[in-house]
Structure formats: C-alpha cells, structure tokens
Amino acid sequence: MDRSELETLYRRMLVIRRSEERLQKLFADGEVPGFLHLSIGQEAVPTGVSHHLTDRDTVSSNHRGHGHTLAKGVDLTGFFAEIMGRATGLCKGRGGSMHVADLSKGMLGANGIVGAGIPITTGSALALKMQGGGHVAAVYFGDGALAEGVVHECFNIAALWSLPVLFVCENNGWSEFSPTERQLATRLDRLAAAFSITYRGVDGNRVEEVAETAGALIAGMRETPAPAILECATTRVRGHFEGDRQDYRDAAEIDDLDARDPLRLAADGLIAAGTAEAWFAGTLAEVDAEIEAAVAAARSAPDADPAGMLSDVYTVEA
Amino acid sequence: MAEVRFGKALNQALSDAMAADERVFVIGEDVGAAGGSFKVTRDLMATYPGRVLDAPIAEASIVGIAVGAALTGMRPVAEIMFMDFITLSMDMLVNQAAKARSMFGGQGSVPMVLRTPHGGGLNAGPQHSQCLEAWLAHVPGLKVVCPATPADAYALLRAAIEDPDPVIVVENKALYAMKGDLAETPEPVEIGRGRIVREGRDATIVAYGATVGLATAAAATLADDGIAAEVVDLRSIQPWDEALVLESLSRTHNLVVAHEAVESFGVGAEIAARMADVGFDELDGPIVRVGAPFAPSPFGRTLEAAYRPDAARIAAAVRRSLS
Ligand SMILES: Cc1ncc(C[n+]2csc(CCOP(=O)(O)OP(=O)(O)O)c2C)c(N)n1
C-alpha cells in the first residue's frame, strides 16, 4: 500500500473519530436524543473494509454503526442531522443513531437488533449474485452477536449457496457489560471451519492490515461468489453507551489504549513513510471544518415534523 | 374461464409473476424440488431454474434474506410452511421489513411477499393450526391479505407481488383443494378492497378466508327463517375495507364479524371497535364476534371440531345481533 492510499485511510478514520468526539460532546450538551454507542477505537475496521467497496456493494451494520456508515461514504450533513433528530436527517429524523441508512450509497442501515443485519446482508448478497456483476455485501457485527441464532443460520446458508457476503466481526471483547468468554463457548475461526467458510483474523486496530486482508477477500468474492469471515480484534474505548460508567472493566484492560489506538498506529506508519507534520495539522483542520459545517447545518435545521409521521409507513398512502 | 383448485391458482400466480418480472424469486423450505408442503410451488423450479430456492430450516433467515434481497432490488416471495412458524421470523417481519421504509425516511421500500398457510381442519394440533394474522395486522408497515376463492388467491397474490411494501398472504389450509373459476385474463384485485359475496338487508356478516364459506352457509340457513344476511368478504385484513363494511352496515344495521382466529384481541375486535365508533348511528343491536375460544388450537377430532367456528355459530351470532 502506498503512502497516499494510507493517507486516504487515515483521513477516513479521522473523520469517524472526530465525528464521534463531536457527537459525544453534543450528547453531553443534550443536543442528541436517545442512546449513543460510540465506536471510538474501532475506526480501522470499516475504514479498511469499505476502502474496497463501491456504492453498488452493500453493507449493513449494528447499534455501533457510525463508523460503518461514514466509511461507506454517507454525507456528513445528513448524518449529523439524523442523529440530532432533525427534519433534514438522512432518515428525516425517524431513525437516529441506531438506524442511519443511505440506500443510494449501498448502506442498508444500522440496526437496533443485535445480529439482525446478518440475514439482511445475506439476502442482499443473494440479490447481488442473482443480478450478476461481481458485487459483494458486507455486514459488521460484534462478538456478542455470535450468540444469536441467525448468525449460525446465515453462515450455513451463505456457505451452501456460495453467496458473496463478507461477515466482519468486530471483536472488542465486550458484549455490553459482559466479556466474550461469558457469551461464547467456541471461537469464530472454529465456527468458520465448521461451515467451511474462509476465515481471516487480523489486528483490527491496524488499518493497513484490515484493508489488505479485506481487499484480498473481497477481490476473491467478486471473481467467484463465496462467503468469508473476517475477525478483527479491536478495542472499545468508551462505554457500551454514553453515560456507561464502565465499573465492570478493570484498569489493566484499559491501560494501553493509547498504544492500540488505530489512528496513532496509522500516524506512526505515515510518519515513518515520510508524511509531514503539516499534513496532519492541515487534515485535522479540514476534517474539523467539515464536521462543524455539518453540525451548524443540523442545528439550524428544523426539528423533525410530527405531521410527517404517517407518511412513508407505506410506499403509497391509502 | 377454467375451473382450478385454490392451490393451483396460487401456483399460476407465482408462475405468471415470475414470467412477467425477472426480479421475482421464491424462497422457502421444500419449495423447490418437493414443490412445497401443500404443493403450491410445484414445477416452478424446473420452469424457472435458479429462481426457486430450497432453503434450510431457518425461518428467521428466510424472511431476513427476503428483506435484504428486496432492499437490493429483487421481489422475493418467501414461504413459511405453517403460519405457526412465523414466530421464529418475527424480528425480521416486525423490526425489519415493516419499518425499513419509515425509519429510513422513505428512502426505499421492501417489496417482499410472505406466503403462509393458517387454520385447522387437519387435526394438526396446537403448533400447526393457528391463525395469527391479527399479530401482523397490528404492525404498521405490514399488509395482510387472506383470499377466500381461487380467483382471489390468484389476484391477491399477484397484487401482493406487485406491491412495493411487505405483504403477508395468508392461505387457509382447508381451501387448498377448493375448486373455482379462474378467468383467462383474471381481473386485478386491489389490496384493501373487500367484496359483497351475498346481499341481504337484515344483518352484515364480515368474514375472510375459509370463514367466508361458513358465513355464506349461515346466511343460507338464516334465509329459511326469513332473515336476509349480507356477507362481506374482507379479502384484505390490513388495510381493510372500512368503507365497504360501513356501507353494508348502513343498509342492514346489524353486524357480525366472524373468523377462525381466537376471538379475543383479534381482527373482529378491531372491526367492531371501528364500527361502534364511525357506525354508531347505524347500529340497531350489539356487534357480535365469532371466533375460536381463548385456548390453544387442540388436536383431537371432537376438540378441534368444537374449537373452530362453524356456520351454526355464525347463524346464532346473527340472531343475537338482531335481538
Ligand atoms: C436482540 C437484541 N438483544 C439485546 C440487545 C441489547 N444490546 C444492545 S448492544 C448489545 C451488546 C452487543 O455486543 P456486541 O455485538 O459484541 O457489540 P459491541 O457493543 O461490543 O460493539 C446488547 C446486548 C439488542 N439491542 N438486541
């Protein structure tokens, strides 16, 4: 991977990081209603995967979906407006953080139901295969979702029917307030082997490693449709949701967060490859300006209008 | 005009829809090689290779796959072998298919169909006989239809496949063998429109699916006593033809709602409540519901026979509504 490509990846991760830091502040200030599940620390996963996806390729996501959404190229202004519950949101303020979708970008939605994106993406992969053209579908889910039945159903079906679906597990070691070992009696590589599905495990905090591995899997799936499982070991820096005090987590586990920070790891790589200090400063300023513009637009937009609640329940109104 | 069985009419509808639209495909357990548990998908796999998918026993995923495929430009028709098994796919129906359009701000829709048989008569017991359509009708975003004749089976399934939103087609098992006329070029039927099966001036019986036949038989018995009951076949449960029911009530001034599903909290409760509101001035007597008692559908012959509504119970209900 050359330096400019790495810079692209770094910039994408920075957009996700700074957007979520901004959301964190907006939430604390009461400007974001509802729950907020931040993916700070996990930015390398969707950045690396979506690097190889076009708008025709589809993704779906889970409750911790901001990174997945932004990595798919969804417009920042509509994104902030949605999470802030404004009429100009991508989903007219009806979905919020857990349901951001942009079908024009192949983003089939975040999801409030753990594991639910998996059959939806499997169906999307089936459609893409039937339509021809070498497109693929990817789904992001946490290690916690591995305990849900639909995951096992879909591993089976995707393998039986050779569907071009990339199952991306973000294993951050936590399923809400419970560690993975209290949730899962096996390991994902073993599950993959049981279903005869190609498995790759990567350091999910190293964007280059995620991108290279995902890239190879996706290229293969475009040639010959078949599922693959990509397990990314990563880190959930914040609590399960904003406001979670994380008293169930011991200090040692959070100790070396900085050393595992995907942005820091990518920056170290870029600096070694010769990227100048000024580039980092300039990129940060640019990204922050884009985010501030999106926040300002959302703030000046009207709140979602209750009068519109009955529209879009059905495509054609009765 | 040809005489066909109800099951064959559904098969014809699937075949014609697949011929008309490349995006239509069929997915379900044993729908391919075996032609479906009730043979509704017979021969389709050979006629449309690659478009009839024999799925593993995984109801949640069958429905979820239909949702994802629909969001990606296809028109899937999923079969759930018995309506009792929709319990396993409720997340995909209720949390995904039903609300995708609204919660994504109208960015797309989920043009999928779910076909499933309900009802007793086969002594299939408590897990293979239930009528759960009221659950689905309760969820904003889903549509539910339930045909009573082969012609409507054809027309409503075609309409469901054409519809941009998720539609559940509920097929009463007792009707699969029913014979009826199917026109060479069948008339389309709009989802949400009912029909008057038999005219009458004394009372309106609203029914759907297999219960329409029972209501018609009840009307024939009542006629012997000089009571003229009008029978309305709802055809669609969600949305339902409120205007047609109100119009009929305005002629007859008495109302009975009959269905095979459990009476409590059911489709009949909704119709009764609406008519008690918008039709209050038209009512000359109590609105009476006929449905199964509040117990799981039982197995034994005597038990099931006592459990399922029949023409005599509907006739008795009409008499009560007139009192
Ligand atoms: C079906 C379902 N059950 C429970 C929940 C509540 N819940 C939300 S997130 C979560 C934990 C998910 O853990 P994981 O999949 O590992 O993702 P992570 O939060 O670690 O990113 C739970 C239990 C839910 N949203 N959906």
Side-chain angles (χ1 to χ4, degrees):
Chain A
M1 207 166 266
D2 67 15
R3 201 178 88 196
S4 85
E5 209 171 347
L6 285 176
E7 284 172 355
T8 305
L9 293 174
Y10 178 89
R11 190 185 198 283
R12 176 65 75 192
M13 290 200 293
L14 190 67
V15 169
I16 300 171
R17 170 70 54 89
R18 298 297 284 174
S19 293
E20 287 204 312
E21 285 174 350
R22 194 69 187 87
L23 283 172
Q24 189 184 335
K25 190 158 179 307
L26 290 166
F27 181 84
D29 294 343
E31 290 192 68
V32 171
F35 293 117
L36 197 62
H37 306 88
L38 298 181
S39 66
I40 290 176
Q42 303 187 176
E43 296 87 347
V45 179
T47 301
V49 170
S50 264
H51 189 56
H52 302 283
L53 301 177
T54 68
D55 287 353
R56 269 293 271 136
D57 300 313
T58 55
V59 303
S60 73
S61 157
N62 61 0
H63 57 286
R64 204 175 297 289
H66 305 145
H68 311 146
T69 304
L70 293 174
K72 200 67 175 46
V74 163
D75 169 59
L76 261 187
T77 309
F79 171 85
F80 271 95
E82 183 57 34
I83 295 175
M84 293 166 74
R86 303 302 168 124
T88 52
L90 277 166
C91 306
K92 301 183 185 163
R94 296 198 199 116
S97 164
M98 276 194 281
H99 304 289
V100 179
D102 186 344
L103 301 189
S104 70
K105 295 279 179 194
M107 204 296 166
L108 304 184
N111 214 305
I113 309 292
V114 169
I118 290 171
I120 292 173
T121 313
T122 304
S124 186
L126 171 65
L128 293 170
K129 183 178 176 183
M130 289 176 110
Q131 290 159 2
H135 298 291
V136 307
V139 55
Y140 302 97
F141 55 95
D143 44 289
L146 289 168
E148 283 282 1
V150 287
V151 181
H152 306 263
E153 293 182 9
C154 287
F155 284 174
N156 183 45
I157 292 172
L160 279 171
W161 296 354
S162 304
L163 301 180
V165 49
L166 182 63
F167 297 101
V168 184
C169 178
E170 294 175 308
N171 190 341
N172 59 21
W174 289 98
S175 166
E176 230 176 60
F177 320 125
S178 303
T180 312
E181 56 273 17
R182 284 217 306 265
Q183 303 277 311
L184 191 67
T186 183
R187 294 189 335 224
L188 186 48
D189 56 339
R190 293 186 184 152
L191 278 178
F195 288 104
S196 307
I197 297 178
T198 302
Y199 168 92
R200 297 279 179 279
V202 295
D203 180 343
N205 288 11
R206 295 186 181 270
V207 71
E208 195 175 349
E209 199 178 321
V210 177
E212 277 172 352
T213 308
L217 291 172
I218 290 167
M221 291 160 59
R222 290 194 198 285
E223 282 292 309
T224 313
I229 292 173
L230 177 65
E231 182 170 18
C232 305
T234 183
T235 321
R236 191 190 82 197
V237 172
R238 302 288 303 169
H240 174 57
F241 46 71
E242 282 307 280
D244 167 13
R245 288 172 44 218
Q246 305 206 66
D247 39 21
Y248 49 90
R249 225 166 157 178
D250 55 68
E253 196 236 324
I254 331 189
D255 249 4
D256 62 340
L257 280 185
D258 253 11
R260 284 181 283 149
D261 180 349
L263 277 132
R264 180 171 164 178
L265 291 169
D268 288 349
L270 281 173
I271 290 163
T275 298
E277 254 331 290
W279 182 87
F280 288 100
T283 304
L284 180 63
E286 263 172 43
V287 165
D288 281 351
E290 279 171 32
I291 291 169
E292 278 323 306
V295 172
R299 276 183 173 149
S300 62
D303 277 324
D305 181 5
M309 215 146 41
L310 289 183
S311 62
D312 300 323
V313 175
Y314 297 100
T315 302
V316 182
E317 265 125 74
Chain B
M1 193 73 81
E3 196 182 54
V4 297
R5 289 190 190 275
F6 189 93
K8 176 65 191 164
L10 292 165
N11 178 273
Q12 189 67 45
L14 288 170
S15 186
D16 290 354
M18 290 174 89
D21 188 343
E22 280 279 296
R23 300 171 299 175
V24 179
F25 73 92
V26 170
I27 178 171
E29 293 158 18
D30 279 331
V31 294
S37 291
F38 294 96
K39 299 298 166 206
V40 169
T41 52
R42 190 192 303 237
D43 298 333
L44 294 178
M45 188 183 228
T47 317
Y48 303 98
R51 292 168 65 192
V52 180
L53 307 178
D54 266 329
I57 307 161
E59 288 76 12
S61 294
I62 290 169
V63 178
I65 284 170
V67 176
L71 281 171
T72 312
M74 302 298 281
R75 301 227 155 207
V77 182
E79 177 178 303
I80 294 294
M81 197 183 275
F82 285 81
M83 190 174 211
D84 312 68
F85 311 160
I86 62 163
T87 51
L88 293 137
S89 60
M90 280 313 246
D91 171 50
M92 289 298 141
L93 286 171
V94 173
N95 290 319
Q96 315 299 334
K99 47 184 64 77
R101 179 176 173 80
S102 169
M103 98 184 155
F104 298 161
Q107 281 183 61
S109 52
V110 182
M112 63 168 280
V113 172
L114 185 126
R115 293 183 33 248
T116 192
H118 77 167
L122 303 182
N123 299 101
Q127 296 175 339
H128 288 73
S129 310
Q130 292 168 91
C131 297
L132 302 176
E133 57 276 5
W135 289 13
L136 304 169
H138 190 67
V139 180
L142 298 180
K143 295 181 183 175
V144 184
V145 302
C146 187
T149 65
D152 273 3
Y154 180 92
L156 286 170
L157 180 50
R158 288 299 302 268
I161 295 170
E162 297 265 311
D163 198 278
D165 296 313
V167 184
I168 323 296
V169 179
V170 184
E171 304 161 2
N172 193 292
K173 293 193 273 290
L175 296 181
Y176 281 129
M178 177 196 206
K179 284 185 185 162
D181 286 331
L182 185 63
E184 199 74 41
T185 34
E187 288 287 313
V189 170
E190 199 185 326
I191 292 176
R193 293 280 160 269
R195 69 184 175 113
I196 308 259
V197 179
R198 177 187 171 117
E199 293 186 358
R201 67 195 128 61
D202 297 326
T204 297
I205 310 171
V206 176
Y208 58 86
T211 311
V212 172
L214 301 178
T216 311
T221 339
L222 290 163
D224 295 341
D225 291 343
I227 299 168
E230 178 149 305
V231 178
V232 174
D233 173 5
L234 268 193
R235 290 172 151 162
S236 291
I237 296 167
Q238 180 59 267
W240 61 282
D241 201 339
E242 188 181 308
L244 183 73
V245 174
L246 183 59
E247 188 192 300
S248 175
L249 174 64
S250 309
R251 274 195 297 275
T252 67
H253 307 293
N254 292 289
L255 182 62
V256 168
V257 191
H259 50 58
E260 192 173 331
V262 165
E263 186 181 301
S264 306
F265 290 86
V267 174
E270 172 64 19
I271 294 172
R274 278 302 288 168
M275 288 304 129
D277 178 354
V278 298
F280 185 74
D281 293 339
E282 301 294 345
L283 280 164
D284 282 351
I287 302 174
V288 184
R289 286 177 290 158
V290 181
F294 198 59
S297 45
F299 157 70
R301 287 215 173 85
T302 51
L303 295 176
E304 197 191 54
Y307 180 82
R308 295 171 76 211
D310 57 15
R313 270 174 61 197
I314 296 172
V318 170
R319 290 199 168 90
R320 226 195 102 206
S321 79
L322 294 171
S323 62

